Amino acid sequence: METHIESHLVEKRVFKPPKDFQRRARIKSLAQYQKMYRESIRQPDKFWRREAKELTWHKPWKRVLEWKAPFAKWFVGGQLNISENCLDRHLTGPRRNKAALLWEGEPGEKRTLTYQQLHREVCRFGNVLKRNNIRKGDRVIIYLPTIPEAAIAMLACARIGAVHSVVFGGFSADSIRDRIADSGAIALITADGSYRRGTIVPLKKNVDEALQSGTSVKRVIVYKRAGNEIHMKEGRDVWWHRELEYVDANCPPVWLDSEHPLYILYTSGSTGKPKGILHTTGGYLLGIYCTMKYVFDVRDEDIYWCTADVGWVTGHSYVVYGPLANGGTTLMYEGAPNWPEPDRFWKIIEEHGVTILYTAPTAIRAFIRWGDAWVKKHDLSSLRLLGSVGEPINPEAWMWYRKTIGGGRCPIVDTWWQTETGAIMITPMPGAIPTKPGSATLPFFGVDPAVVNEVGDEVGPNIGGKLILRKPWPSMLRTIYGDKERYKKQYWSEFKGSYLTGDGARRDKDGYFWIVGRIDDVLNVAGHRLGTSEIESALVAHDAVAEAAVVGRADDLKGQAVVAFVTLKGHANLTPRLKTELRDFVGVHIGAIAKPDEVRFAEALPKTRSGKIMRRLLKEIASGQSVTGDTTTLEDFSVLGRLSAEE
Ligand code: WT7
């Protein structure tokens, strides 16, 4: 029986970095990338020492890395403060009056904060935290929409050495309660409400519910955002704007050990209990600083927009800390991409002159579905670089992104990483590495990935296996908060000395990495292991298909049968022949083995608010069961009913 993950999707298109992009880029050629990469692997101390010198340190480090596997300490003995690196150090030159943060609310308000202004707000709020007895090392939950105050709260915590844990604004009271219990947070920062598709999400009400049963939280600071009516509990709740009246703007950054915890971010594990991923100060800052610099090649004149919500790791690393550490201008948008119309993103890009756009494949597929006419209404010629993150991007979606959004002139950086890795791990350098649609290409500096089989041996070209990382890296998670054993077991026990990513992948003959999805998403059809993402990509390549999700269903004969859930593009007709046509289409593009046994058309797929398709739910629907278990992260509940009702 076959044990490796087979790959049948062959991608022949290659796109070289555009000449003018290349000329201006920090890394200008494949040879330059390879030279730096070699150094980063052979002499990591030398490489990281040089990069770390670009940051502001209060006390120099004694050792670059202390590695007692699987526990790492980076820049041992060094002291610094992240908020100082993101703010204060830009105030001594022309960046003082530059826009640090541009913001648009869903209803349409606009705000701009210069570095000087953002620094002032962070200092004032730092003093508010202190006034409310929040001290170095205390855990603080942040439950806010994507508004400037989210960045201000994060940076203010970092400034005084408090550890923030941002809880995504789409999560329920239960999720807040679990995270408070696990982190032992003593304070919570929230807003009265937030806007989503024109309605108000009652954030404070969710908080009240979470705190009902008695928790470690003693203080709730409430920012007035939506003006909806809320209850303020005397002795526990205070208004953000009222608190500001009692403080000044003098709040020096506390010097913190390089390994001082910066934040805990919860991510779902396969067992259901969320894992508190712990990131610390010096190494994390270096990781996001360097990737922002080399992967997005960010310049002073750029207007950079990462569309992620601050509640996800992408929002931490590439909305807030990465761009600000580089003195960039970061744009934040509060709401949905199709509010009030499906062209909101393109309108924002045109109005602000966005030059770098970083978004997710799920969004890209939605745009394809909504039709090109929405894009064509706007001038997107300010764009010079595009990024993708969150899941494998289907080659056809990649091609559309390149042509329709990038006008054929912008390189695409498909960036593979995880909450756990803190920063981008596998990605093209836009001025150096030729891209292939659907591949995250080659490792970032200092990253040593490999594709291995069950016993840990590296497999040959185009053979699928498990993706591991064989060296520690500066922005790696340090532990699962409060659970060292789970950290060891989950990530470091299967292959000695290597980090297990949980993703399946293959490497092609050029050494390019192709991520085929989570190991749990791999199907076994008649003894052939197939990555669901390849079948999905084949389906999406069909002209009528907007989005596809493939799951397995137990099958007596084949082990697993392939079930495809498909949504159609706006213009496509659901003809009686379409099912057969799609099955044959997959047969032609991948092979008969991958032909879906069942094709189900749906109006929408069940997704988390971060855009990940909830395959567990689809699996249950595919096997005719009723949906059970946790659905708190599901964005749109009505999808479930419609899916089950559909044949
Ligand atoms: C998982 C991590 C990284 C920030 C957002 C998600 C998948 C992520 C890619 C990519 C293929 C990708 C992986 C990974 N993933 N980026 N460019 N190509 N797959 O963070 O929630 O921790 O999820 O997302 O499966 O393991 P996360």
Side-chain angles (χ1 to χ4, degrees):
M1 184 169 110
E2 300 282 349
T3 55
H4 60 264
I5 302 168
E6 291 174 27
S7 182
H8 300 269
L9 202 67
V10 184
E11 181 56 60
K12 293 206 178 68
R13 291 168 290 202
V14 181
F15 295 90
K16 287 196 178 135
K19 279 272 177 305
D20 52 334
F21 193 100
Q22 195 159 28
R23 248 193 317 273
R24 298 183 43 200
R26 288 192 175 85
I27 301 180
K28 298 179 191 330
S29 67
L30 194 56
Q32 187 189 352
Y33 157 76
Q34 282 161 340
K35 185 160 170 267
M36 286 175 75
Y37 179 72
R38 264 197 306 275
E39 184 199 29
S40 76
I41 295 297
R42 288 182 192 157
Q43 297 164 280
D45 281 22
K46 187 173 165 217
F47 182 89
W48 290 120
R49 196 179 300 128
R50 189 174 61 234
E51 291 292 334
K53 284 206 169 127
E54 293 180 14
L55 302 172
T56 300
W57 295 82
H58 177 62
K59 203 171 135 202
W61 62 86
K62 291 201 182 72
R63 278 179 74 184
V64 172
L65 170 66
E66 188 188 292
W67 179 227
K68 291 182 184 146
F71 297 99
K73 288 184 178 164
W74 284 86
F75 305 103
V76 186
Q79 285 193 345
L80 74 167
N81 185 291
I82 287 203
S83 99
E84 213 244 344
N85 273 276
C86 288
L87 300 169
D88 307 49
R89 70 186 183 127
H90 305 310
L91 299 184
T92 52
R95 281 180 185 158
R96 182 182 183 87
N97 296 317
K98 168 184 174 167
L101 208 158
L102 302 172
W103 174 78
E104 228 183 273
E106 193 183 77
E109 323 93 300
K110 291 184 174 66
R111 281 167 68 188
T112 302
L113 287 161
T114 64
Y115 271 95
Q116 199 280 132
Q117 290 168 326
L118 183 60
H119 173 260
R120 186 178 151 79
E121 292 312 313
V122 169
C123 287
R124 292 171 78 209
F125 195 66
N127 285 336
V128 167
L129 296 177
K130 288 193 262 183
R131 211 182 104 74
N132 283 283
N133 288 322
I134 297 157
R135 306 272 175 257
K136 178 177 160 183
D138 288 340
R139 274 83 62 214
V140 177
I141 302 275
I142 298 177
Y143 183 62
L144 285 170
T146 298
I147 54 177
E149 282 63 29
I152 292 168
M154 289 161 78
L155 288 159
C157 285
R159 197 162 186 89
I160 68 164
V163 184
H164 62 71
S165 184
V166 182
V167 176
F168 173 55
F171 282 160
S172 61
D174 285 351
S175 314
I176 306 170
R177 196 182 303 117
D178 290 348
R179 284 153 177 75
I180 294 170
D182 192 80
S183 65
I186 62 154
L188 193 152
I189 303 166
T190 189
D192 48 1
S194 73
Y195 291 95
R196 190 80 191 171
R197 293 201 181 89
T199 61
I200 292 176
V201 183
L203 296 178
K204 177 61 165 59
K205 193 168 150 265
N206 294 344
V207 168
D208 291 343
E209 206 181 311
L211 298 182
Q212 225 164 35
S213 47
T215 67
S216 49
V217 169
K218 298 195 177 61
R219 182 68 79 227
V220 179
I221 305 175
V222 187
Y223 180 77
K224 201 183 190 95
R225 163 71 190 122
N228 50 317
E229 208 165 302
I230 59 166
H231 172 70
M232 294 290 278
K233 184 170 170 185
E234 185 115 32
R236 185 193 71 186
D237 303 350
V238 294
W239 284 106
W240 178 305
H241 61 274
R242 283 283 180 76
E243 287 299 296
L244 284 180
E245 290 171 14
Y246 301 102
V247 296
D248 63 20
N250 178 28
C251 180
V254 175
W255 298 109
L256 302 169
D257 281 338
S258 178
E259 282 301 328
H260 184 76
L262 174 68
Y263 67 79
I264 302 166
L265 187 59
Y266 287 86
T267 179
S268 49
S270 46
T271 58
K273 184 182 180 289
K275 301 176 281 190
I277 303 301
L278 182 78
H279 284 292
T280 61
T281 303
Y284 175 78
L285 175 63
L286 185 62
I288 50 115
Y289 170 75
C290 276
T291 45
M292 192 73 213
K293 180 175 73 165
Y294 290 122
V295 179
F296 295 106
D297 207 11
V298 68
R299 305 288 163 164
D300 262 323
E301 57 278 21
D302 274 318
I303 310 248
Y304 161 88
W305 183 22
C306 166
T307 65
D309 188 282
V310 286
W312 310 117
V313 72
T314 312
H316 289 58
S317 299
Y318 299 108
V319 174
V320 179
Y321 291 117
L324 298 177
N326 280 275
T329 298
T330 185
L331 190 145
M332 275 173 130
Y333 167 59
E334 180 188 34
N338 54 349
W339 188 265
E341 305 249 62
D343 64 342
R344 186 63 184 271
F345 274 24
W346 322 126
K347 197 159 169 277
I348 291 175
I349 290 173
E350 179 171 18
E351 280 175 17
H352 293 270
V354 171
T355 57
I356 304 174
L357 174 68
Y358 190 27
T359 193
T362 177
I364 296 168
R365 290 190 303 261
F367 299 136
I368 297 175
R369 184 174 154 85
W370 295 332
D372 293 8
W374 292 107
V375 186
K376 295 274 147 55
K377 278 176 68 177
H378 298 279
D379 176 6
L380 304 183
S381 60
S382 57
L383 288 171
R384 66 179 194 90
L385 178 63
L386 303 174
S388 170
V389 62
E391 54 177 316
I393 178 165
N394 322 111
E396 289 322 309
W398 193 101
M399 291 301 295
W400 182 89
Y401 196 26
R402 180 185 145 84
K403 180 165 163 260
T404 311
I405 305 305
R409 72 185 177 276
C410 306
I412 297 178
V413 289
D414 174 3
T415 61
W416 177 87
W417 58 295
Q418 306 176 300
T419 304
E420 291 88 340
T421 69
I424 294 166
M425 296 280 107
I426 302 178
T427 178
M429 304 282 177
I433 299 177
T435 50
K436 303 181 189 182
S439 170
T441 75
L442 298 172
F444 187 73
F445 303 131
V447 178
D448 185 19
V451 180
V452 298
N453 62 18
E454 302 298 325
V455 293
D457 295 329
E458 209 168 346
V459 297
N462 288 321
I463 296 179
K466 295 183 177 183
L467 180 68
I468 60 167
L469 305 174
R470 295 178 294 195
K471 264 187 190 326
W473 63 98
S475 64
M476 64 191 273
L477 77 165
R478 298 302 194 261
T479 189
I480 293 175
Y481 188 73
D483 201 344
K484 273 186 182 171
E485 285 312 310
R486 190 173 176 199
Y487 167 72
K488 275 199 222 170
K489 192 162 167 280
Q490 174 100 43
Y491 301 110
W492 300 92
S493 63
E494 193 165 334
F495 304 109
K496 202 158 174 43
S498 288
Y499 169 85
L500 185 73
T501 67
D503 281 349
R506 68 181 164 93
R507 256 187 127 159
D508 68 17
K509 61 180 191 345
D510 298 322
Y512 278 37
F513 286 87
W514 297 77
I515 313 296
V516 299
R518 304 292 299 169
I519 300 277
D520 344 340
D521 296 340
V522 172
L523 301 183
N524 192 323
V525 182
H528 298 270
R529 291 176 64 178
L530 301 168
T532 52
S533 77
E534 286 196 344
I535 307 175
E536 288 160 6
S537 286
L539 286 163
V540 172
H542 189 281
D543 193 42
V545 175
E547 193 157 41
V550 168
V551 296
R553 161 166 59 68
D555 184 278
D556 287 347
L557 214 60
K558 301 202 280 185
Q560 279 188 303
V562 181
V563 181
F565 291 84
V566 170
T567 64
L568 298 180
K569 284 184 192 159
H571 66 80
N573 283 330
L574 213 177
T575 59
R577 271 202 43 76
L578 195 55
K579 276 189 187 180
T580 331
E581 207 179 302
L582 290 178
R583 296 187 67 238
D584 293 344
F585 195 77
V586 173
V588 169
H589 285 264
I590 300 185
I593 181 75
K595 272 191 180 182
D597 298 274
E598 204 181 311
V599 178
R600 289 185 171 207
F601 296 107
E603 247 173 69
L605 300 173
K607 285 186 194 161
T608 65
R609 285 285 292 266
S610 69
K612 281 201 179 13
I613 293 171
M614 295 183 77
R615 287 165 199 288
R616 183 173 54 78
L617 303 187
L618 289 176
K619 276 180 208 161
E620 289 173 355
I621 293 169
S623 58
Q625 303 163 15
S626 57
V627 172
T628 57
D630 184 28
T631 52
T632 47
T633 60
L634 187 65
E635 191 197 33
D636 176 5
F637 285 94
S638 64
V639 167
L640 275 189
R642 276 182 273 147
L643 273 174
S644 313
E646 235 130 349
E647 177 269 347

